[in-house]
Amino acid sequence: MENKKTLTAEEKIARIEMAPKEVQTMVAKAFLRDDIDDEDVQYMFNEDGLDLLVEDGEVENVYTENE
């Protein structure tokens, strides 16, 4: 059995709310599916090219939270 990381309900809601309004329903449905790892959902709907995601030579992680 795979050990998939699951997000808390609050983390899922925050990520859904970050998505553009027109895809929020699809993002929410993706989080409900058992065959998609929660951490992979963001990549399914990302339409930005790699050049837009790269900041200072590294791929920016928009979901990094300050701890």
Side-chain angles (χ1 to χ4, degrees):
M1 179 182 231
E2 288 183 35
N3 187 13
K4 293 184 178 182
K5 180 182 182 320
T6 56
L7 302 174
T8 66
E10 291 79 15
E11 290 171 320
K12 290 178 184 180
I13 291 168
R15 291 187 183 193
I16 292 166
E17 290 175 342
M18 283 188 230
K21 295 283 184 202
E22 57 273 6
V23 297
Q24 284 184 350
T25 301
M26 290 186 289
V27 172
K29 288 179 180 179
F31 278 121
L32 293 174
R33 293 178 56 162
D34 290 334
D35 62 332
I36 302 172
D37 188 20
D38 287 349
E39 290 294 331
D40 293 337
V41 170
Q42 66 181 325
Y43 300 110
M44 293 177 54
F45 298 97
N46 191 353
E47 296 178 359
D48 294 336
L50 187 58
D51 56 327
L52 294 176
L53 298 174
V54 174
E55 182 177 296
D56 296 328
E58 295 181 13
V59 174
E60 177 184 2
N61 183 353
V62 296
Y63 296 111
T64 300
E65 297 179 15
N66 294 332
E67 294 187 44

